[in-house]
Amino acid sequence: IPGNPTIVPKNMEGAGSLRLANWLYRVAPKDGSVIGTIGRGTGFDPVLGAPGAQFDGTKFTWIGSANNEVSVCVSWNSTSGITKFDDLFTKEMTVGGTGISADTDQFPRIVNGVLGTKMKIVSGYPGGNDVVLAMERGEVKGRCGWSWSSVKSTHKAWLDEKKMTVLTQLALEKHPELPDVPLIIDLAKTDEQKQILRLVFARQVMGRPYLAPPGIPADRAETLRKAFMETMADPDFLADAEKSQLEITPVNGAHLQQLVSEVYATPPEVAKKAAEILNAK
């Protein structure tokens, strides 16, 4: 990238990227010399009333996302009795969770709260691998909020052997490899339901987001965006990503900027209802 900007790491200490987002917004130089990467949902924290969010996500300079993430809900066939998404309306399925703010907990909670499904979240597992092991041992019957790219790279054999079933896709758009698996947005029955689901799952488009502070010169913002997309198409970069089993489905900065503006335009009463569901005990 021209000028070799400083990249602030995602793991700046504190608050799951919130501290970094606040710093980029309020303190970082606004000359294109500093960019950062934050949690995919952090940019929407103000919409959901998250305490400590001291920024307006629409004013960041969004550079691009390395991945348009698609997560899935799966059932373990030998124990769950769940063979399709509609079964979740009449049968309880226990799913493993790793913490109140993690996808494994928030995604099934929002699906339950909006659509009325019956997933029971058993939280407290140390990590996603522990949830998978619990599913295999029969402690839980499924997992909801599991990256499709991770499913493919680590447990594709389970799908081929029909040990588990993919019930729904948690994203704004279907993954091309899952044309017959229902998309969660399409299951909404009212405009309000669709708005809530879109608000929560918009973060998927920001699978690995890069951003700069507000107000940097337009020509430098354009240079950063162009360099980012060129990097995403670089053969050496893609070869390294493949070795690391990282899915690269880049989203350009202009698209992110538009999406963030649309999410921030969510009616306050809808955003409040989404927050209440996500924060329910």
Side-chain angles (χ1 to χ4, degrees):
I1 297 176
N4 296 318
T6 300
I7 300 179
V8 182
K10 181 178 176 179
N11 62 348
M12 175 185 276
E13 180 185 352
S17 296
L18 186 57
R19 182 181 175 195
L20 172 54
N22 287 337
W23 183 85
L24 283 170
Y25 190 81
R26 302 174 64 197
V27 179
K30 295 176 170 55
D31 57 5
S33 64
V34 175
I35 66 176
T37 175
I38 60 176
R40 58 187 173 188
T42 303
F44 303 129
D45 278 357
V47 183
L48 292 166
Q54 301 169 2
F55 58 85
D56 177 345
T58 65
K59 295 181 180 179
F60 280 124
T61 304
W62 293 95
I63 297 170
S65 173
N67 192 30
N68 188 346
E69 187 68 78
V70 173
S71 296
V72 295
C73 294
V74 304
S75 60
W76 190 249
N77 291 340
S78 64
T79 60
S80 70
I82 306 291
T83 61
K84 58 185 182 300
F85 183 83
D86 283 352
D87 290 340
L88 294 174
F89 292 111
T90 57
K91 300 177 182 178
E92 182 180 85
M93 182 174 81
T94 53
V95 294
T98 59
I100 190 170
S101 62
D103 290 353
T104 52
D105 294 54
Q106 290 203 342
F107 286 2
R109 189 178 296 117
I110 203 74
V111 174
N112 283 346
V114 174
L115 300 181
T117 49
K118 298 180 181 296
M119 286 181 279
K120 180 181 178 181
I121 304 163
V122 179
S123 196
Y125 287 96
N129 289 336
D130 301 279
V131 174
V132 173
L133 288 172
M135 186 170 64
E136 189 176 20
R137 291 194 299 259
E139 293 176 11
V140 297
K141 297 179 180 180
R143 178 175 174 181
C144 192
W146 191 1
S147 165
W148 172 242
S149 58
S150 176
V151 174
K152 286 191 305 177
S153 65
T154 61
H155 292 90
K156 186 176 183 300
W158 285 0
L159 294 170
D160 295 339
E161 297 164 7
K162 301 190 184 307
K163 290 185 175 180
M164 64 183 182
T165 298
V166 180
L167 302 172
T168 187
Q169 302 182 60
L170 306 171
L172 297 190
E173 296 178 356
K174 283 188 174 186
H175 196 289
E177 296 173 353
L178 298 169
D180 299 323
V181 177
L183 181 69
I184 198 68
I185 304 294
D186 294 339
L187 299 174
K189 292 182 170 57
T190 67
D191 287 342
E192 182 183 76
Q193 288 180 347
K194 183 167 288 189
Q195 287 178 314
I196 293 174
L197 293 174
R198 182 173 175 78
L199 167 59
V200 173
F201 293 112
R203 70 185 68 180
Q204 299 291 75
V205 183
M206 330 271 278
R208 299 189 197 100
Y210 290 81
L211 71 166
I216 70 173
D219 60 333
R220 297 185 187 183
E222 184 56 34
T223 296
L224 288 169
R225 287 176 171 179
K226 183 173 182 291
F228 176 82
M229 292 305 289
E230 288 175 352
T231 299
M232 294 299 103
D234 179 79
D236 291 337
F237 170 78
L238 291 173
D240 285 342
E242 185 173 358
K243 287 178 185 176
S244 301
Q245 296 184 317
L246 294 174
E247 184 175 63
I248 303 298
T249 52
V251 182
N252 66 54
H255 183 82
L256 295 188
Q257 205 87 46
Q258 179 180 350
L259 177 63
V260 171
S261 294
E262 291 173 358
V263 170
Y264 271 69
T266 301
E269 64 274 13
V270 174
K272 181 180 179 182
K273 184 171 288 190
E276 288 172 348
I277 295 171
L278 289 173
N279 295 320
K281 300 297 184 182

